[in-house]
Amino acid sequence: MIIFIINSLIMSLWFFTGILLVFISSCSSPAVITGEIYPVPAGGEITLAYDDEIKIKPDSAGHFSFLLHDVPREGSYVLLQTEMDISLFVRPGENLYVKIDEGKKQYAVKGKDTSLNQQIQALQQRLGSLGKEVEQKNLFREDIKHYVAFLDSALDLLEAPVNAPDKFIRYEEERMGWFRKQMLWRYPFSHALVRREKYTWPDSLKGIFPDISFTDPSWLVFPEFRSFLSVWLDMEAKYRIENEPLRYEDFCFTRMKMDIARNGIKEMRIRNYALKKIMQDHLVQFGPYHADTLLSMFDSYCTHAGYRKEIDSLYDAVLRRNNDHLVMPYKKIKNIVLDAHVFLPSDEGDELHPAVCFYFGGGWYEGTPEVFFDFCRFFARHGYVAVSFDYRTKGRFNTTPVEALQDARSALRWIRSMAGKWKIDPSRVAACGWSAGGHLAACTAIIPGYDDPCDTLSQRATPDAIVLNASCVMPEEDNWFYYVSQYVMDPKLLSPYARLHKNIPPVLILHGTADEYVPVWTVKKFEQKIREKHAMVVSLIKEGARHRDFRNEYYAGVILDFLNRAMKKTPVRR
C-alpha cells in the first residue's frame, strides 16, 4: 500500500513537472543564430541588438554564433549589425544561419523561418528603394500634401506578409510606420534646401506630423526606428541652431544633439543608445580631436557602462592609430584653436622640400583632417612636407564658407612661415582638396581677398599648384552651399568658375562621371574655361567613378607625378 502511494506521488510529480515544463517552454526558450561573414571584420565585432546589445568577434574564418535566451513563444525581432543592419525574426528553438557578404552588401538566411526572414529582407530593400525614389524624383520640392499623398500611396502598394504569425505582421507594420515618420521628418529641411529657403516649420505641417514619444525600448530592434532617431536628432539640431541663439563655441551641432537627446528622450535605453550614436557619428563627422569636453559630457549623460567604455575605447584607438605626426595650432580666433597635422620627410641633406596642403571635404559643414592622413604619409615618403589642415565648418562653429576660405588662406601663409624650420621651398607649395576642400583649394588660387583680419600678410596666400579631387567648382549650382552660406551671400562671389582668370597656377582635376554630389558637367565646363584662358590644366574624368573613388594610393601617385612636373621638382639648396 505504501509503495503504491509512493509510486502515485512520483507519477503525479512527473505529470505536474511536465505541465510546468510545457508551460515554461510555451512562454520562452533559447534560440541560436550562427553564420559567417566575409570579409572578416578587421579586429571588429558583430553586434546583436535584443534585450540589450551582445557583441562577439568572429573567428579567423568569419564564423560567429549567438545564443539568445528567453525568446518569447510568438517569436521576436533581433537586429544583427555589421556594416549593414540585418533584421531577423526568431522563434523558440530556432537555429538560424546567416551568410553575410559585406563587399556586395548582401546576406542570406537559412532556417525554419527562412520565408519570414526573406520577407523582412524584401521589405527593407523596398523601403530603401522608396527613399531613393523620393530623392530621384525631387519630391521634396512638392508641397506637403502632394508629398504625403505620394508617400502613403507607395506604402499602401507594399505587399502584406504572407503566412506569417500575428506578431510578425505587427512588427512589419511598425517598421513601415517608423519609415513613414522618418520620411516626414526629413521633409521640412529637404524642402527648404531644394527651394533655397531658410529652414522653418510652417504651421501647415503641425497637423500632419505625429507627436513622438520615445517610450518603448523594443523599437531599437528596428533599423527604421534607429534611422528615424538619427533623422529626428539631426533635424531638431539643425532647426534649433538656425532659429535659437547659439549657446556653444565649438562642436555646436554635436552638443545640440546631445542636449536634445538628454532632455527630449525620457526612456533610459533609447536615450543611452541615442547618446552613443551621437558620439559615433561625431567621430566620423568631426574626428577625435578636441573632443575631451564632449567625452566628459557623454560620460555624465549616459548611464550605460558598456556604452561609455565602448566610446572611450573607440576615440582612444583612433588617436593611437594616428600618433605618427606633429599636431600644431596654426591659427587661434578667440577661444577657437585650429590644428595643422604635419607629416615630415626624412631630413637628410640640404635640399629644400616642396610642400602640399590638404583640405578635407564635408560640404563646408563637417569633416576631419584624418581624411588625408594616408595621403600625407605617402607624400612625406616622397620628400614633401605634407600637412592636413583643420578649418572652420558650419556644423562645428556655425560659420560659413567665407570663414573656411579665410582659414585655407591662413594655412598657406602659415606653412610658408615654417619654411626655415622644416626646409620648405616657399615657391613650391601646392593646395589639394577633396569635395568642399577642393573648392577651398581652388578659391585660394583664383579668388583674391578674403584674408582673415588676424593674419599677418607678409606671406603669400596663393598656392603654386592646385589639385581638385571630386571638387565643387560652381557653388551657385549647389543647393547645399546656399544653406551653409546662411542665404546671405551670392555664391558666385566664391565660385572658382565665375571668378576664373588666366593668371592661375597649374590645375589637376580628378572627377567621376557617377559623382553623387558634384555633377560632372560643372567640372567639364570649368576645365573648358581654364583652357580658354590658356592656363595649364590636366583633367582625369573617369567613367563610372563616384565621389570617394579618388582617395587611394594609386591617385596619390597620380597627384605626386602631377605636382613634381607642375612645380618642377629639382634639387633646391638652402
Side-chain angles (χ1 to χ4, degrees):
M1 184 66 180
I2 294 174
I3 294 173
F4 174 78
I5 293 172
I6 292 173
N7 286 336
S8 297
L9 289 172
I10 291 172
M11 291 181 66
S12 298
L13 181 62
W14 284 350
F15 175 76
F16 286 111
T17 300
I19 291 175
L20 181 62
L21 289 173
V22 169
F23 174 76
I24 292 173
S25 65
S26 70
C27 295
S28 63
S29 65
V32 178
I33 298 175
T34 59
E36 58 184 296
I37 182 170
Y38 179 84
V40 180
E45 297 175 320
I46 295 177
T47 302
L48 188 77
Y50 184 44
D51 283 339
D52 201 351
E53 290 189 355
I54 309 167
K55 294 184 180 294
I56 190 169
K57 284 190 175 182
D59 65 21
S60 58
H63 298 114
F64 60 86
S65 179
F66 292 94
L67 175 63
L68 302 180
H69 297 282
D70 303 325
V71 178
R73 177 176 58 84
E74 65 273 22
S76 181
Y77 254 65
V78 297
L79 181 63
L80 191 64
Q81 289 185 292
T82 60
E83 289 186 6
M84 299 183 284
D85 284 337
I86 301 173
S87 293
L88 300 170
F89 186 77
V90 295
R91 287 192 272 197
E94 177 70 275
N95 189 342
L96 285 181
Y97 187 84
V98 187
K99 187 173 183 177
I100 304 168
D101 187 333
E102 290 277 57
K104 296 181 179 179
K105 301 297 181 188
Q106 296 176 349
Y107 70 93
V109 182
K110 293 183 179 179
K112 185 173 64 178
D113 283 327
T114 296
S115 174
L116 294 180
N117 283 291
Q118 287 174 341
Q119 292 183 59
I120 291 174
Q121 188 174 6
L123 177 60
Q124 194 161 346
Q125 290 171 348
R126 287 195 292 270
L127 293 178
S129 297
L130 179 54
K132 292 177 182 177
E133 185 180 354
V134 167
E135 295 186 357
Q136 289 168 354
K137 292 184 175 180
N138 204 14
L139 293 173
F140 288 123
R141 181 175 288 277
E142 299 289 334
D143 65 68
I144 185 63
K145 291 183 178 179
H146 286 92
Y147 177 77
V148 170
F150 169 83
L151 189 61
D152 288 343
S153 176
L155 289 172
D156 287 342
L157 292 175
L158 296 180
E159 296 178 8
V162 178
N163 298 324
D166 291 343
K167 189 171 185 179
F168 180 88
I169 295 172
R170 291 198 305 273
Y171 277 153
E172 295 296 87
E173 289 173 347
E174 286 192 56
R175 288 178 61 200
M176 287 192 287
W178 286 117
F179 175 83
R180 183 181 187 275
K181 292 182 179 75
Q182 176 199 150
M183 297 303 293
L184 285 176
W185 248 261
R186 287 179 60 191
Y187 176 83
F189 176 78
S190 300
H191 181 70
L193 187 69
V194 298
R195 295 174 65 87
R196 298 177 180 175
E197 298 172 349
K198 185 177 174 62
Y199 175 29
T200 61
W201 277 72
D203 292 338
S204 60
L205 302 182
K206 293 179 180 177
I208 296 174
F209 284 66
D211 292 332
I212 300 297
S213 57
F214 299 100
T215 57
D216 188 349
S218 70
W219 294 333
L220 287 167
V221 300
F222 302 131
E224 293 76 16
F225 173 74
R226 293 187 177 214
S227 295
F228 167 77
L229 188 57
S230 293
V231 167
W232 179 77
L233 288 166
D234 185 70
M235 296 298 99
E236 285 285 320
K238 281 186 170 68
Y239 179 79
R240 295 188 189 185
I241 286 173
E242 291 300 304
N243 294 280
E244 297 178 7
L246 190 62
R247 295 176 294 188
Y248 320 106
E249 291 185 338
D250 199 350
F251 298 125
C252 60
F253 183 59
T254 301
R255 294 185 67 173
M256 182 65 81
K257 288 202 295 184
M258 291 184 74
D259 281 352
I260 292 169
R262 181 192 184 197
N263 300 314
I265 303 176
K266 302 304 180 185
E267 204 288 320
M268 182 181 64
R269 281 179 54 189
I270 299 177
R271 182 175 65 250
N272 283 336
Y273 167 78
L275 291 166
K276 183 186 79 162
K277 185 66 168 64
I278 290 166
M279 292 304 294
Q280 288 173 328
D281 289 345
H282 179 88
L283 187 61
V284 174
Q285 293 172 317
F286 301 103
Y289 299 96
H290 299 282
D292 290 347
T293 300
L294 287 176
L295 289 168
S296 295
M297 291 172 60
F298 172 74
D299 286 343
S300 65
Y301 294 172
C302 180
T303 61
H304 193 295
Y307 287 173
R308 295 197 301 270
K309 181 179 179 181
E310 179 183 346
I311 292 299
D312 288 342
S313 297
L314 196 59
Y315 277 68
D316 183 61
V318 176
L319 289 171
R320 283 188 287 105
R321 186 172 69 236
N322 293 311
N323 64 357
D324 58 344
H325 65 279
L326 302 174
V327 183
M328 303 177 63
Y330 78 92
K331 185 172 183 177
K332 295 182 180 179
I333 315 102
K334 296 182 180 179
N335 295 323
I336 296 172
V337 177
L338 298 176
D339 288 336
H341 296 260
V342 185
F343 294 74
L344 297 173
S346 58
D347 195 19
E348 299 176 359
D350 295 325
E351 287 188 16
L352 295 182
H353 303 290
V356 57
C357 303
F358 289 101
Y359 305 116
F360 58 80
W364 311 273
Y365 188 89
E366 61 191 34
T368 167
E370 187 186 354
V371 165
F372 276 118
F373 284 2
D374 285 342
F375 270 44
C376 286
R377 295 181 181 107
F378 177 89
F379 275 86
R381 291 197 301 270
H382 288 84
Y384 280 69
V385 174
V387 188
S388 188
F389 285 97
D390 203 357
Y391 61 85
R392 282 173 286 178
T393 56
K394 180 174 177 60
R396 184 172 173 187
F397 299 110
N398 201 30
T399 49
T400 73
V402 170
E403 288 80 14
L405 177 55
Q406 289 176 347
D407 297 340
R409 291 175 64 82
S410 299
L412 286 161
R413 288 195 169 98
W414 181 84
I415 194 65
R416 287 193 171 99
S417 74
M418 305 300 284
K421 182 175 183 177
W422 292 325
K423 295 192 293 188
I424 295 170
D425 180 357
S427 68
R428 291 190 294 154
V429 177
C432 175
W434 169 64
S435 195
H439 166 262
L440 298 178
C443 287
T444 61
I446 295 169
I447 301 175
Y450 294 98
D451 295 310
D452 194 301
C454 299
D455 275 2
T456 300
L457 305 184
S458 57
Q459 299 291 343
R460 183 161 55 93
T462 52
D464 301 298
I466 56 175
V467 178
L468 308 183
N469 187 332
S471 301
C472 172
V473 292
M474 295 177 68
E476 61 268 33
E477 297 294 332
D478 188 338
N479 292 335
W480 188 261
F481 190 87
Y482 287 81
Y483 163 65
V484 294
S485 301
Q486 300 178 7
Y487 306 100
V488 295
M489 67 173 293
D490 180 357
K492 288 185 177 180
L493 294 174
L494 290 189
S495 171
Y497 176 81
R499 303 289 302 276
L500 188 66
H501 52 83
K502 65 179 180 180
N503 298 316
I504 65 170
V507 181
L508 172 63
I509 295 173
L510 302 173
H511 214 87
T513 60
D515 193 297
E516 313 93 287
Y517 301 102
V518 183
V520 69
W521 68 264
T522 61
V523 175
K524 288 181 176 180
K525 285 192 69 173
F526 182 62
E527 177 196 353
Q528 180 184 353
K529 194 172 182 180
I530 294 176
R531 296 190 188 281
E532 291 171 356
K533 301 287 185 183
H534 303 290
M536 177 184 171
V537 60
V538 176
S539 179
L540 176 56
I541 307 294
K542 185 177 180 182
E543 189 68 31
R546 298 166 71 85
H547 195 59
R548 301 173 187 270
D549 285 354
F550 299 94
R551 286 170 27 190
N552 55 52
E553 189 163 319
Y554 173 80
Y555 288 104
V558 171
I559 295 169
L560 176 67
D561 290 343
F562 167 78
L563 293 182
N564 285 346
R565 288 184 286 111
M567 298 196 298
K568 299 181 176 60
K569 184 180 181 184
T570 56
V572 179
R573 301 196 177 274
R574 305 179 71 179

